């Protein structure tokens, strides 16, 4: 087969969601884990979901449909399987599917891969491990199978793979291996993959290289040139589309354009500019896939503005296709599932299906002129104007109050003085034990929530059921011997949505599910207007829990940065301004909790690292306002009230200074999968506050042994004095089963007692 550059396309997206409109994949995978269905039944569900997604995209007007973006768990894990890069500890598992899930979740005696955030999104990927024993070997059977399925349906399919640069850059070196040093070994495998895809009928292949939007050294830019010159060499391959997203590729654009690849996808919603494209003459011979429809947020596209961008681009590129800025993995399936949304707000939104339609409209307008889509342009114009004029977007009272507080309302005495006051006030033992917040969401809790929605019980009955759950969790913790308790959060459907439903300026969806990791799905609320707290949100639940025990119960709140990161946030004002509005609402809640007698308040910021800009030049400004928002949220309480926070799923090295600047009395962090690596970074940075490194991983069903936790604690004590060390799991326990939680926490308390 020769390269067929004439088979260009005009309307596409970079990826499709995979969980199913009603989370069908989640239910099937969890049924497989539980033994209720076998592998054949699971694969049948997967085939059906793929076919539905592909045919819907084609029927909606796309002339190139991505395939290969489906996954049973994660696309980086899929790439590791394709390249033969699974860790040796799982390779002895004979069944391929069980081996795959063991790498993702762990198994008896087998630790899972680490997990962290996919660039600056709320999606988590599994971190491949590249060690001296890694022997790459290509197995593209899954991708070839999907391509065959799509072609049998008559789909104009474009296979999608993660590129070698991104795969290695996001992998973890083991035993001294630098993953990027293995690049030369991967290039022949990718060349072989391209040839096999061509033989299977693929006219184009999309190679995702989002790592190109990060800061790259001259050596890394050289690797871009050599890699894609090598992959483009020869005729026995499809056309190559290199997809960059989540930012501008900057100098990598020129490096990539200098190679023979036929197409480059660019994200015009997250940093790429038309002037950058115009400054690269080599793009005059390329297909540029213009991501002018936002693939990560849910606001309707200003079609007239997007058409203006596209018209300008036409003069600088060889050919033009319209696309989303990124995969639609990050947005819900369709607004059709949301009839209950306020109709005015609904008119401002575009979920996955609506974004595909916007791509179709724009591509049609580029080819046939604006008169061909006059009605669609008028509807877009009306929606944009409706949103701009809506009074809910501007609350003068909250803006005036924030202006009066200043930029950094300091609350606190120096850390050592606070520590002395809190030690006398709380009287906790050395190495105090606690949990992060949530306890398992039992069948009884889910049933009560469903009964309330269906009207089978009233609000008073629901509250009584939740009180019973809280009493049970408090009794469990006392029985286990934990030192600082939590109420378990049975009343909370989600740590962000719960608050969003009680704050003005937010709206919730019924079926707006997106994948967070594996089978974990969330419904991000929609933050559309100015944020106001009209009443206490947690005080009744926390004070009830505190009334059941003499031990301190933590007030549990979600921090402003995380509420932003895990919501679909308004894009009509700076994020910093929105963060301060949310912070003010959380501040009022902390003050009310303290007034009600709560002595410890935890304000979680697991997403602090997540929103960090990918370019270093932009990071300082973000960290300044993110830290400022947290300090505003926690600035109203006394010095003897202990402020905790929690961070997880992150490579913390880049934000160590910001963690200290939060000035929380105690910070709990994910550390189990990364084997306490963060503690050395904290020590080097001079961190002198309380720290609770996770002593076991809650994202695996494994129950850690006493000796395993004891060893983790002793390892932690090499970096942190016992006087500042707390003992806790990595994260909340919401997704775990009751039996494994009891066993794990019992072992944790015993280990802490031994170390004391």
């Amino acid at each position: 087969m020769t390269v067929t550059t004439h088979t260009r396309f005009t309307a596409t997206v970079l990826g499709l969601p995979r969980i199913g409109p009603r989370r069908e994949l989640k239910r099937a995978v969890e049924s497989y884990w539980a033994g209720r269905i076998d592998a054949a039944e699971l694969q049948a569900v997967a085939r059906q979901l793929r076919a539905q997604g592909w045919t819907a995209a084609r029927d909606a007007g796309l002339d190139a449909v991505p395939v290969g973006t489906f996954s049973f768990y994660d696309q980086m894990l899929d790439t590791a399987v394709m390249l033969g890069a699974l860790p040796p500890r799982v390779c002895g598992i004979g069944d391929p599917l069980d081996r795959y899930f063991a790498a993702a979740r762990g198994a008896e005696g087998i630790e899972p891969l680490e997990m962290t955030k996919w660039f600056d999104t709320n999606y988590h990927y599994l971190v491949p491990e590249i060690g001296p024993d890694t022997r790459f070997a290509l197995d593209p059977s899954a991708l070839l199978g999907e391509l065959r399925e799509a072609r049998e349906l008559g789909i104009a399919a474009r296979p999608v793979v993660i590129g070698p640069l991104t795969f290695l850059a996001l992998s973890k070196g083991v035993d001294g291996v630098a993953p990027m040093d293995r690049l030369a070994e991967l290039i022949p495998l990718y060349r072989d993959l391209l040839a096999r895809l061509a033989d299977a009928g693929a006219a184009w292949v999309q190679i995702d290289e989002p790592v190109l939007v990060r800061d790259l050294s001259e050596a890394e830019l050289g690797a871009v040139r050599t890699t894609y010159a090598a992959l483009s060499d020869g005729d026995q391959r499809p056309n190559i589309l290199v997809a960059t997203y989540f930012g501008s590729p900057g100098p990598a654009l020129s490096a990539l354009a200098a190679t023979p690849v036929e197409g480059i996808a660019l994200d015009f919603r997250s940093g790429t500019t038309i002037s950058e494209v115009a400054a690269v003459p080599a793009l005059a011979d390329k297909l540029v896939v213009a991501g002018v429809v936002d693939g990560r947020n849910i606001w309707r596209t200003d079609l007239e503005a997007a058409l203006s961008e596209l018209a300008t681009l036409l003069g600088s590129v060889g050919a033009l296709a319209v696309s989303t800025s990124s995969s639609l993995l990050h947005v819900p399936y369709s607004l059709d599932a949301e009839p209950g949304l306020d109709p005015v707000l609904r008119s401002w939104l575009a979920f996955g299906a609506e974004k595909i339609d916007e791509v179709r409209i724009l591509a049609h307008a580029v080819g046939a002129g604006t008169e061909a889509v006059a009605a669609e342009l008028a509807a877009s114009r009306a929606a944009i104007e409706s949103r701009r004029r809506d009074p809910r977007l501007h609350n003068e009272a909250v803006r005036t109050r924030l202006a009066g507080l200043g930029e950094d309302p300091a609350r606190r005495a120096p850390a050592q003085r606070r520590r002395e006051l809190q030690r006398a006030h709380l009287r906790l033992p050395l190495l105090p034990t606690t949990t992060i917040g949530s306890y398992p969401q039992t069948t009884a809790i889910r049933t009560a929530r469903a009964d309330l929605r269906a009207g089978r019980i009233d609000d008073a009955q629901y509250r009584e059921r939740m009180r019973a759950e809280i009493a049970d969790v408090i009794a469990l913790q006392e029985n286990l011997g934990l030192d600082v308790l939590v109420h378990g959060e049975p009343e909370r459907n989600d740590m962000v949505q719960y608050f969003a439903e009680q704050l003005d300026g937010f709206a919730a969806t019924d079926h707006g599910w997106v994948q967070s990791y594996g089978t974990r799905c969330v419904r991000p609320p929609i933050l559309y207007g100015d944020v106001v707290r009209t009443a206490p949100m947690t005080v009744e639940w926390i004070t009830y829990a505190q009334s059941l025990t003499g031990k301190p119960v933590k007030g549990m709140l979600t921090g402003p940065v995380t509420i932003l990161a895990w919501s679909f946030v308004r894009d009509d004002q700076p994020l910093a301004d929105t963060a301060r509005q949310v912070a003010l609402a959380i501040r009022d809640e902390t003050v009310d909790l303290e007034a009600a007698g709560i002595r410890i308040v935890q304000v979680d910021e697991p997403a602090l690292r997540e929103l960090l800009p990918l370019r270093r030049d932009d990071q300082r400004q973000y960290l300044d306002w993110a830290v400022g928002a947290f300090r505003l949220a926690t600035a109203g309480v006394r010095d003897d009230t202990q402020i905790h926070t929690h961070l997880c799923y992150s490579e913390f090295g880049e934000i160590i200074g910001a963690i200290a600047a939060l000035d929380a009395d105690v910070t709990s962090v994910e550390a189990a999968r990364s084997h306490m690596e963060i503690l050395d970074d904290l020590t080097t940075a001079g961190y002198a506050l309380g720290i609770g490194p996770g002593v076991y991983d809650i994202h695996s069903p494994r129950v850690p042994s006493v000796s395993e936790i004891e060893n983790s604690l002793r390892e932690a004590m090499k970096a942190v004095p016992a006087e500042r060390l707390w003992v806790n799991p990595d994260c909340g326990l919401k997704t775990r089963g009751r039996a494994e939680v009891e066993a794990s926490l019992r072992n944790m308390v015993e280990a802490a007692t031994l170390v004391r």
Side-chain angles (χ1 to χ4, degrees), residues 101-159:
F101 286 129
R105 306 171 66 234
E108 187 64 36
I110 296 175
E111 293 185 1
L113 294 170
E114 291 181 28
M115 186 163 59
T116 193
K117 291 298 179 75
W118 178 246
F119 295 86
D120 57 349
T121 75
N122 187 31
Y123 178 78
H124 309 68
Y125 75 93
L126 289 158
V127 182
E129 295 174 1
I130 310 298
D133 297 329
T134 304
R135 297 291 179 265
F136 296 119
L138 181 67
D139 178 9
S141 54
L143 183 60
L144 289 170
E146 288 192 31
L147 178 59
R148 182 172 57 253
E149 289 174 28
R151 287 174 59 83
E152 288 172 354
L153 292 169
I155 303 292
R158 184 181 70 251

Side-chain angles (χ1 to χ4, degrees), residues 87-93 101-103 105-113 675 697 700-705 708:
R89 62 183 176 274
V90 305
C91 291
I93 299 174
F101 286 129
R105 306 171 66 234
E108 187 64 36
I110 296 175
E111 293 185 1
L113 294 170
H675 305 289
D697 173 28
S700 167
R702 292 179 62 247
V703 173
S705 67
E708 183 181 334

Side-chain angles (χ1 to χ4, degrees), residues 302-357:
D302 183 337
L303 295 180
E304 291 180 321
L307 271 177
S308 177
E309 289 180 279
L310 293 168
T312 306
L313 280 171
L314 280 170
S316 302
V317 303
L320 186 68
V322 182
S323 177
T324 52
S325 62
S326 66
S327 169
L328 294 177
L329 169 72
H330 307 289
V331 297
Y333 272 77
S334 173
L335 277 170
D336 288 346
E338 305 299 333
L341 274 177
D342 169 76
V344 175
L345 171 62
R346 197 173 188 274
S347 73
W348 306 342
L349 306 179
F351 289 179
E354 292 74 31
K355 289 180 183 296
I356 290 175
D357 195 47

Side-chain angles (χ1 to χ4, degrees), residues 12-80:
T12 192
V13 297
L14 296 189
L16 296 169
R18 56 208 184 205
I19 58 174
R22 293 293 186 272
R23 295 177 294 162
E24 292 90 343
L25 183 62
K26 167 190 172 67
R27 295 189 178 91
V29 170
E30 291 177 352
S31 292
Y32 175 76
W33 293 341
R36 293 190 294 271
I37 65 172
D38 61 19
E41 292 171 292
L42 177 60
Q43 294 287 2
V45 172
R47 282 193 298 273
Q48 182 179 26
L49 288 174
R50 289 194 292 263
Q52 288 174 349
W54 298 335
T55 55
R58 176 197 61 193
D59 295 347
L62 299 188
D63 55 5
V65 176
V67 303
T69 60
F70 178 86
S71 177
F72 281 121
Y73 206 97
D74 167 60
Q75 67 263 21
M76 280 289 284
L77 176 58
D78 296 347
T79 308

